[in-house]
Amino acid sequence: MAESVEVEIIGNKSAQELALNPENVPNNYIHKEGGVGFRDALLPSESDDIEIPVIDIGNLTSPSAAQQELHKLHSALSSWGLFQATNHGMTSLFLDKVREISKQFFDLPRREKLKYVREPNDIEGYGNDVIYSENQKLDWNDRLFLKVHPEDQRNFKFWPQKPNDFRNTIEQYIESLRQLYEVVLRAMAKSLDLEEDCFLNECGEEASMSMRFSFYPPCPMPDHVLGVKPHADGSSITILLQDKEVEGLQVLKDNQWFKVPIIPEALVINVGDQLEIMSNGIFQSPVHRVVTNAEKERLTVATFCVPDSQKEIKPVDKLVNESRPILYRPVKNFVDIYFEYYQQGRRPIEASKIIL
Ligand SMILES: O=C(O)CCC(=O)C(=O)O
Ligand SMILES: [Fe+2]
């Protein structure tokens, strides 16, 4: 009993506060299996000729270039499960603005940020890991989690009033991301020879978007602590704005960790579990993690596009045939089971996989 109270208190300390006291990193952040080599990863371009693909979003809709770009997209999503999206319609200046206002929020005094603090058992708002069990390993980051789409789901009490251009900037960002989401889901369907609205329809009119602003302070024990534990996302797709200068994201491919390099003007787009299910496993929801850095802080903005929770998510009929039997059971309300599985270090998609 006493122990669980202690865990709650430690969990309530922000990573920013813990970083101020480098002598004392709490045990529940420490991965015992860590040590030299814990953070190692290959740079994709350095190993043979495998690279994380860069997709020109403009080409996906251009009559002359689409075929080749769709082919590249198909191969990116079935091998890596992610790609770097360029030419997506947002200027570098605008992306810098999104980074800047996000950073300004985390730079506010703790007492100001606490105005937006999440409820103990809810995910929306400012805070860190929801604690499910005493043995749970915690992630070295502070975050602000907001439901951003549809509009009537926005809880403005969690939206920072400082900096004062936060709301405007994020609303503009969401507009652009909505368009990008539709272009990408259509292209994904076309690359599988499906009707172009197929995945959009499967996700439903009530598909939603949530945004997670993550701040990773410098960490005194980078060989033993992770920014985010290995996981795959529970979304249809996730659109990530990376820090412009500090790396940290790594993706698992063929049992090997690879760094996701920084391309300042690009957005990283990855498949989530729910699209892996719809594609009957042709597209992969990649396992990824974030490592920490002893000297530098890092900030990212992840947008999770999530199918309507009332819709049954299942493999698209046309992707099931004799040579490719159905690999997943239908699931509903996937996000609900997601967080609990995640904190236990389990992959929620296993709940849907059919063992052949
Ligand atoms: O911050 C990052 O680079 C990735 C964060 C992430 O994977 C997540 O929030 O699901
Ligand atoms: Fe993720």
Side-chain angles (χ1 to χ4, degrees), residues 212 214 216 228 231 233 240 242 249 288 290 298 300 302 304:
R212 178 176 148 154
S214 300
Y216 305 89
V228 184
H231 68 284
D233 295 342
L240 179 75
Q242 286 218 78
L249 178 62
H288 51 287
V290 177
R298 176 170 183 267
T300 62
F304 304 100

Side-chain angles (χ1 to χ4, degrees), residues 1 15 56 61 67 80 118 136 170 177 235 251 259 270 284 300 308 311 328-329:
M1 183 69 199
D56 181 313
T61 49
Q67 220 38 51
W80 288 96
R118 66 168 177 79
Q136 182 185 326
I170 293 306
L177 291 182
S235 53
V251 60
K259 295 179 188 175
N270 68 267
Q284 297 288 314
T300 62
D308 180 348
K311 280 211 88 151
Y328 306 87
R329 267 182 286 277

Side-chain angles (χ1 to χ4, degrees), residues 88-333:
H88 41 57
M90 284 170 263
T91 65
S92 294
L93 210 65
F94 179 67
L95 294 183
D96 284 348
K97 178 80 185 162
V98 175
R99 292 182 177 107
E100 184 188 308
I101 51 130
S102 311
K103 172 72 171 48
Q104 283 169 345
F105 169 72
F106 288 102
D107 280 347
L108 292 172
R110 172 113 169 123
R111 111 186 89 74
E112 178 68 28
K113 285 180 291 209
L114 285 177
K115 291 184 184 166
Y116 310 99
V117 77
R118 66 168 177 79
E119 299 291 328
N121 288 315
D122 201 359
I123 178 177
E124 186 161 26
Y126 166 70
N128 46 14
D129 286 345
V130 177
I131 302 202
Y132 291 99
S133 80
E134 288 171 28
N135 302 329
Q136 182 185 326
K137 287 281 169 257
L138 302 182
D139 291 339
W140 189 264
N141 73 71
D142 297 327
R143 68 193 79 115
L144 175 69
F145 191 97
L146 299 177
K147 294 179 186 164
V148 297
H149 183 85
E151 271 180 56
D152 62 8
Q153 297 280 313
R154 293 179 190 166
N155 289 316
F156 286 115
K157 66 176 181 177
F158 293 117
W159 289 51
Q161 291 184 355
K162 289 183 191 163
N164 47 29
D165 43 359
F166 183 94
R167 179 165 162 181
N168 252 338
T169 310
I170 293 306
E171 284 183 332
Q172 207 183 321
Y173 185 46
I174 299 161
E175 279 295 307
S176 303
L177 291 182
R178 292 283 312 152
Q179 290 172 26
L180 181 57
Y181 161 77
E182 290 190 6
V183 170
V184 170
L185 258 68
R186 286 201 174 100
M188 284 179 168
K190 280 201 273 189
S191 82
L192 291 166
D193 286 327
L194 299 170
E195 193 259 311
E196 71 170 5
D197 281 342
C198 171
F199 289 139
L200 286 172
N201 293 338
E202 292 293 316
C203 290
E205 299 240 317
E206 292 296 305
S208 64
M209 274 182 171
S210 299
M211 221 170 253
R212 178 176 148 154
F213 304 77
S214 300
F215 180 78
Y216 305 89
C219 176
M221 292 182 74
D223 287 331
H224 288 273
V225 176
L226 288 173
V228 184
K229 289 185 286 298
H231 68 284
D233 295 342
S235 53
S236 57
I237 61 167
T238 303
I239 306 174
L240 179 75
L241 176 63
Q242 286 218 78
D243 194 285
K244 217 170 136 172
E245 280 154 19
V246 182
E247 282 177 350
L249 178 62
Q250 301 184 345
V251 60
L252 192 66
K253 180 174 163 27
D254 306 328
N255 282 325
Q256 168 76 53
W257 289 107
F258 288 91
K259 295 179 188 175
V260 179
I262 295 171
I263 303 179
E265 73 280 11
L267 293 158
V268 178
I269 300 187
N270 68 267
V271 173
D273 290 348
Q274 301 201 54
L275 214 123
E276 174 173 324
I277 294 172
M278 288 177 210
S279 75
N280 199 23
I282 297 175
F283 293 158
Q284 297 288 314
S285 167
V287 171
H288 51 287
R289 68 178 184 181
V290 177
V291 296
T292 50
N293 188 303
E295 286 96 39
K296 295 177 188 154
E297 59 189 40
R298 176 170 183 267
L299 180 132
T300 62
V301 183
T303 305
F304 304 100
C305 307
V306 180
D308 180 348
S309 61
Q310 295 312 306
K311 280 211 88 151
E312 194 174 62
I313 301 301
K314 56 183 189 318
V316 170
D317 285 344
K318 279 196 179 151
L319 299 177
V320 178
N321 53 45
E322 262 175 36
S323 62
R324 194 168 187 91
I326 191 158
L327 292 178
Y328 306 87
R329 267 182 286 277
V331 284
K332 233 176 168 179
N333 232 328

